[in-house]
């Protein structure tokens, strides 16, 4: 998929539909070789780990207690347009509509829908895992901002009306201007160390911290280009089962996910991203950032808020 503005190319990336995505359980609409204005920014980006966790009320009526779900079963949604690249990849003339947009668990298309609304490209797919419906939604703005989004819905079922929490973990393999020589800095305001920005020198797990307005940036050490990761307002903070909010690890080929298939056992389903944190130096390496979003889902809470999580990734030095 390419996005051009006049003679200049803004985005160039390769997309796999969920049914062909990588990982033990798939990983939604998966992206590779993401270039912005001719500079490689991501080697691979996807969502390989996805869990649901029920509270005591749900558990008492036989829900869960947890589910490790899958992200490679495509569900039908509404998307109209043509398929110039073959079946399952639809270029839309109007915005696609998933169950989160129209409340409908039907439609004539499954696969990946592409739509450019004048300022950003959306790459949308709807997934099914049991009675859950998940929305895999990537947004690539013309100004370089990337908005990974993941949405939560379901069909009528005795469990979905019980309070539960969704935990979704993106794997973002940044390759800023090439694979090597990246680093990650953490921002805290008020500062925790000497200044607002602190370099993360070793593999680590970090939590979001709203009182410190905690953010991160991944930059190439030589060019200072990169992406600034700003947590989304709905992304919450991990509890014990939620495992964490952000991890920085060295890229290793075998670490696409934690190898766990579908299970209801909390001890097995809990995301084992900590297992990738081995104390290795990450300053100047080929890096992977795992980013977790935690969505508390209570169908009796009618406060209008999006059933969507995801950070905003702002380009640094890339325009
Ligand atoms: Cu839910």
């Amino acid at each position: 998929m390419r996005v051009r503005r006049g003679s200049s190319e803004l985005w160039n990336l390769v997309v796999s539909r969920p049914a062909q995505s990588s990982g033990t359980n798939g990983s939604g609409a998966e992206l590779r070789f993401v270039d912005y204005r001719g500079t490689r920014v991501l080697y691979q980006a996807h969502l390989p780990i996805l869990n649901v966790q029920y509270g005591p009320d749900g558990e008492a009526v036989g829900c869960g207690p947890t589910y490790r779900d899958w992200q490679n079963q495509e569900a039908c949604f509404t998307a109209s347009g043509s398929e110039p690249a073959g079946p399952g990849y639809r270029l839309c003339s109007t915005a696609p509509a998933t169950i989160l947009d129209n409340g409908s668990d039907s439609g004539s298309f499954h696969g990946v829908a592409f739509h450019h609304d004048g300022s950003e490209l959306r790459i949308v797919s709807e997934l099914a895992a049991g009675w859950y419906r998940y929305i895999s939604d990537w947004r690539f703005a013309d100004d370089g901002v990337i908005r990974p989004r993941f949405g939560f819905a379901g069909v009528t079922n005795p469990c979905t009306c019980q309070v539960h929490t969704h935990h979704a973990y993106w794997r973002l393999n940044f390759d800023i201007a090439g694979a090597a020589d990246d680093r990650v800095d953490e921002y805290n305001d008020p500062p925790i160390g000497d200044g607002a920005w602190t370099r993360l020198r070793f593999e680590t797990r970090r939590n979001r911290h709203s009182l410190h307005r905690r953010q991160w940036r991944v930059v190439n050490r030589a060019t200072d280009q990169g992406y600034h990761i700003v947590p989304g307002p709905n992304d919450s903070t991990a509890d014990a089962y939620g495992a964490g909010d952000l991890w920085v690890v060295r890229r290793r080929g075998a670490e696409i996910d934690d190898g766990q298939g579908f299970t209801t056992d909390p001890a097995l389903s809990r995301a084992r991203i900590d297992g990738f944190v081995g104390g290795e130096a990450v300053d100047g390496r080929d890096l992977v950032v795992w980013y977790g979003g935690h969505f508390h889902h209570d169908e009796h809470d009618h406060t209008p808020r999006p059933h969507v999580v995801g950070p905003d990734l702002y380009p640094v030095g890339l325009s």
Side-chain angles (χ1 to χ4, degrees):
M1 166 59 63
R2 292 189 177 89
V3 177
R4 287 201 197 90
R5 181 60 42 109
S7 60
S8 62
E9 181 178 272
L10 301 180
W11 293 104
N12 187 331
L13 51 96
V14 175
V15 183
S16 296
R17 61 191 292 179
Q20 288 164 1
S21 59
S22 63
T24 306
N25 311 302
S27 46
E30 177 174 5
L31 314 175
R32 287 177 200 268
F33 314 126
V34 180
D35 295 349
Y36 180 63
R37 291 186 180 274
T39 300
R40 174 65 42 86
V41 296
L42 285 158
Y43 177 79
Q44 189 177 22
H46 52 160
L47 195 142
I49 300 180
L50 178 61
N51 288 329
V52 189
Q53 166 194 24
Y54 279 88
D57 291 353
E59 197 175 338
V61 295
C63 306
T66 65
Y67 299 105
R68 170 64 63 93
D69 267 340
W70 56 94
Q71 299 87 273
N72 51 13
Q73 182 183 339
E74 297 169 353
C76 284
F77 61 107
T78 298
S80 53
S82 60
E83 300 187 349
Y89 298 89
R90 188 166 284 186
L91 188 57
C92 296
S93 42
T94 55
T98 70
I99 191 170
L100 277 183
D101 302 306
N102 59 20
S104 167
D105 187 40
S106 61
S108 59
F109 177 72
H110 62 98
V112 182
F114 301 86
H115 182 249
H116 196 285
D117 70 1
S119 64
E120 67 178 9
L121 167 70
R122 283 185 68 194
I123 301 174
V124 181
S125 191
E126 184 170 327
L127 315 172
W131 46 74
Y132 299 104
R133 297 294 177 269
Y134 297 114
I135 311 305
S136 172
D137 186 353
W138 296 92
R139 301 162 187 213
F140 291 87
D142 289 357
D143 62 6
V145 179
I146 304 174
R147 297 180 180 87
R149 292 289 180 269
F150 206 76
F152 307 94
V155 295
T156 303
N157 176 278
C159 283
T160 53
C161 61
Q162 299 289 338
V163 171
H164 57 277
T165 305
H166 298 277
H167 302 276
Y169 305 89
W170 280 273
R171 178 176 176 273
L172 305 170
N173 180 354
F174 287 95
D175 273 9
I176 307 291
D181 208 21
D182 290 341
R183 71 161 203 268
V184 179
D185 304 324
E186 179 175 285
Y187 176 87
N188 286 284
D189 175 24
I192 288 178
D194 290 338
W197 287 100
T198 310
R199 190 167 304 192
L200 301 179
R201 297 187 181 276
F202 298 95
E203 292 180 318
T204 186
R205 165 171 45 82
R206 304 295 296 163
N207 275 1
R208 275 182 284 280
H209 202 311
S210 55
L211 292 180
H212 286 280
R213 300 197 295 146
R214 185 169 292 166
Q215 303 170 4
W216 298 272
R217 68 184 175 200
V218 182
V219 293
N220 179 291
R221 295 197 307 180
T223 68
D224 279 331
Q225 295 169 305
Y227 268 92
H228 183 174
I229 303 169
V230 178
N234 287 324
D235 295 354
S236 189
T237 301
D239 60 9
Y241 179 79
D245 297 333
L246 181 132
W247 293 258
V248 180
V249 299
R250 281 187 68 177
R251 189 203 75 86
R252 296 182 194 86
E255 295 179 353
I256 292 291
D257 58 51
D258 60 8
Q260 181 64 54
F262 174 78
T263 178
T264 62
D265 182 340
L268 295 175
S269 65
R270 184 180 184 273
R272 286 188 296 279
I273 304 168
D274 283 349
F276 306 150
V277 177
E280 278 201 70
V282 290
D283 191 3
R285 300 298 185 162
D286 183 3
L287 302 180
V288 167
V289 172
W290 287 85
Y291 183 95
H294 317 279
F295 179 70
H296 188 70
H297 202 172
D298 179 353
E299 292 199 343
H300 306 289
D301 174 4
H302 296 290
T303 315
R305 63 185 180 122
H307 288 196
V308 172
V309 295
D312 290 346
L313 311 181
Y314 291 94
V316 178
L318 286 161
S319 49

